[in-house]
């Protein structure tokens, strides 16, 4: 039986498991929302032209929520913020399914965006604190738990469509189950007794000034990857229903296949990097993701679209973790600061991805719209050299 290092309190193991469950619950909640976009659009009479506006508002408000949560964390701690906002996110999901007019949807999605931003920030702050205390990388495991939750959420949404449960019952039941689980999980989060000053030390490291210029190629790669991810999250199900005439329950398998591929790819990604190196893995991932978009745009039927989005997931999963790893290699003494900078382009990608695909689809079709993220993910190919191990950048 493995033994925790004497420098790591045994309670950290419980705190780490609780945070992984928190990531899983958030993945489930997020997947339920994005895979039910066609049902939300139908319920509220949302036009194709207005849909991208609503979708773009969520990451904008998430950015605001993330910034506001930093001030709350300074006063109360990441654990306290996370304990409150995660159950509240579940309630906002229920609100999105219970209304019947656009102002109610706007209110529910606005609350969801603000709360998700605070949730994302507090979860990752707590995760970075745990990683700092462990003294080794454990963050990938948390994001793998999010992918697992995405698989679960997409599967539940598919069953809801198959049995025609309707959004009030589907979202209401999910909130009634997930919110209490979030409250229960929150009682096991690591706190000051286990973490000590780890969260504060990690925050101080992230606040140090590092130069932008060496990170810019990686920032672009992150933005392009998340444009692709936002395109799949927000439009894969809608493309299958509106573009390929698929049943709604079958269409949800597009996001399910994507998340399964992401999870499997992340499980095997480290071994691929160790064997082939980061540059070939990133290049191969970008090429595979572009192929997935091309196959989706050319798909003759729903089954082909599902397979294409699964291929796409295997490609994208290789890029995002390697962006963080490359940033950490550039600034080994300030890797937390580099990660914080790079993570900003998660939001940039989502802000660009949803309106871009939505606007092109509204002007022409979803087949043409999918070619835009395909071209952007191909732009990662000339950036791949920046993922090679290189001498660390010295701070002035």
């Amino acid at each position: 039986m493995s033994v925790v290092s004497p420098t790591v309190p045994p309670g950290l193991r419980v705190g780490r498991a609780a945070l992984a469950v928190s990531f899983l619950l958030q993945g489930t909640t997020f997947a339920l929302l994005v895979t039910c976009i066609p049902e939300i659009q139908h319920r509220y009479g949302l036009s194709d032209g207005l849909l991208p506006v609503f979708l773009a508002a969520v990451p904008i408000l998430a950015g605001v929520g993330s910034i506001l949560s930093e001030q709350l964390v300074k006063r109360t701690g990441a654990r306290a913020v996370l304990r409150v906002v995660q159950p509240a996110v579940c309630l906002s999901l229920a609100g999105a399914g219970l209304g019947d007019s656009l102002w109610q949807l706007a209110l529910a999605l606005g609350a969801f965006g603000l709360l998700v931003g605070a949730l994302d920030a507090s979860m990752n702050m707590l995760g970075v604190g745990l990683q700092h205390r462990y003294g080794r990388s454990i963050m990938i495991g948390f994001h793998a738990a999010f992918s697992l939750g995405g698989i679960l959420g997409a599967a539940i949404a598919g069953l809801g469509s198959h049995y025609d449960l309707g959004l009030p019952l589907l979202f209401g039941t999910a909130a009634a189950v997930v919110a209490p689980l979030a409250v229960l999980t929150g009682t096991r989060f690591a706190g000051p007794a286990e973490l000590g000053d780890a969260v504060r030390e990690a925050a101080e490291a992230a606040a140090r000034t590092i130069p932008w210029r060496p990170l810019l190629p990686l920032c672009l790669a992150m933005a392009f990857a998340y444009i692709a991810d936002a395109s799949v999250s927000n439009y894969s199900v809608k493309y299958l229903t509106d573009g390929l005439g698929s049943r709604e329950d079958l269409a949800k398998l597009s996001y399910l296949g994507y998340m399964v591929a992401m999870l499997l790819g992340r499980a095997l990604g480290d071994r691929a990097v160790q064997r082939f190196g980061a540059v070939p893995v990133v290049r191969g991932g970008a090429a595979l993701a572009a192929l997935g978009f091309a196959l989706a745009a050319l798909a003759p039927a729903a089954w082909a679209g599902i397979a294409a989005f699964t291929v796409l997931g295997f490609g994208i999963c290789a890029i995002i973790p390697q962006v963080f790893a490359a940033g950490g290699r550039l600034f080994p003494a300030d890797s937390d600061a580099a990660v914080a900078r790079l993570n900003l382009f998660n939001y940039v990608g989502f802000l660009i991805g949803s309106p871009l695909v939505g606007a092109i689809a509204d002007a022409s079709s979803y087949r043409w719209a999918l070619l835009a993220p395909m071209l952007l993910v191909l732009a990662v190919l000339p950036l791949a050299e920046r993922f090679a191990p290189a001498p660390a950048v010295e701070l002035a």
Side-chain angles (χ1 to χ4, degrees):
M1 182 165 58
S2 61
V3 179
V4 177
S5 168
T7 61
V8 180
L12 281 183
R13 184 174 286 174
V14 175
R16 179 182 176 182
L19 187 59
V21 172
S22 181
F23 270 86
L24 183 144
L25 294 177
Q26 173 54 9
T28 303
T29 305
F30 183 77
L32 277 168
L33 181 72
V34 298
T35 55
C36 289
I37 286 174
E39 290 94 329
I40 292 173
Q41 188 178 14
H42 177 73
R43 180 176 180 84
Y44 290 94
L46 197 59
S47 68
D48 286 341
L50 197 55
L51 178 62
V53 177
F54 275 74
L55 295 179
V58 173
I60 291 173
L61 291 170
V64 174
S66 179
I67 293 170
L68 293 176
S69 70
E70 291 180 12
Q71 302 304 316
L72 292 174
V73 167
K74 289 178 182 178
R75 297 183 179 184
T76 63
R79 176 174 66 170
V81 173
L82 183 53
R83 282 174 169 173
V84 173
V85 297
Q86 186 151 43
V89 166
C90 300
L91 296 179
S92 68
L93 175 70
L98 294 174
D100 54 16
S101 59
L102 282 181
W103 72 265
Q104 291 172 317
L105 177 63
L107 187 63
L109 290 183
F112 187 88
L114 283 170
L115 292 166
V116 160
L119 174 60
D120 181 57
S122 56
M123 277 198 312
N124 282 286
M125 286 178 194
L126 194 56
V128 169
L130 281 164
Q131 179 169 279
H132 196 76
R133 195 69 176 88
Y134 265 80
R136 57 185 173 86
S137 177
I138 60 173
M139 287 294 290
I140 292 177
F142 294 136
H143 288 275
F146 178 90
S147 298
L148 184 59
I151 294 169
L152 179 61
I156 293 171
L159 289 173
S161 291
H162 182 74
Y163 291 104
D164 197 22
L165 297 182
L167 289 182
L169 181 58
L170 179 63
F171 284 3
T173 302
V177 173
V178 176
L181 287 176
V183 172
L184 181 62
T185 301
T187 64
R188 310 302 291 176
F189 290 147
E194 297 83 16
L195 293 174
D197 292 329
V199 174
R200 178 185 58 78
E201 291 167 358
E204 289 176 353
R208 296 189 192 117
T209 301
I210 61 174
W212 273 102
R213 187 173 181 179
L215 283 175
L216 285 179
L218 299 177
C219 292
L220 287 174
M222 179 68 90
F224 295 153
Y226 270 104
I227 287 171
D229 184 73
S231 302
V232 178
S233 298
N234 290 324
Y235 290 106
S236 62
V237 175
K238 188 164 174 58
Y239 170 54
L240 262 69
T241 55
D242 293 6
L244 300 181
S246 169
R247 303 191 319 268
E248 288 184 348
D249 56 346
L250 181 63
K252 288 173 177 27
L253 293 179
S254 61
Y255 188 73
L256 179 64
Y258 176 74
M259 293 305 291
V260 168
M262 290 277 278
L263 180 61
L264 292 176
R266 284 172 175 169
L268 301 174
D270 287 337
R271 293 182 182 178
V273 171
Q274 291 168 8
R275 181 171 182 179
F276 302 109
V279 173
V281 168
V282 170
R283 280 180 177 159
L288 194 60
L291 175 63
F293 275 118
L295 291 174
L298 296 171
W303 63 266
I306 293 167
F309 286 117
T310 303
V311 169
L312 209 163
F314 278 114
I316 292 297
C317 75
I319 299 172
I320 296 171
Q322 289 308 307
V323 170
F324 288 123
R329 286 194 295 268
L330 276 175
F331 300 97
D334 290 275
S335 60
D336 292 329
V339 168
R341 291 273 182 92
L342 292 167
N343 195 53
L344 291 174
F345 287 81
N346 168 351
Y347 294 110
V348 172
F350 269 94
L351 284 174
I352 296 173
S354 295
L356 176 66
V357 173
I360 297 174
D362 190 46
S364 54
S365 70
Y366 283 106
R367 291 187 186 274
W368 285 108
L370 291 175
L371 298 181
M374 182 195 77
L375 293 174
L376 289 173
V377 81
L378 280 174
V380 174
L381 290 174
L383 300 174
E385 291 293 339
R386 300 304 183 105
F387 289 79
V393 175
E394 296 293 335
L395 299 182

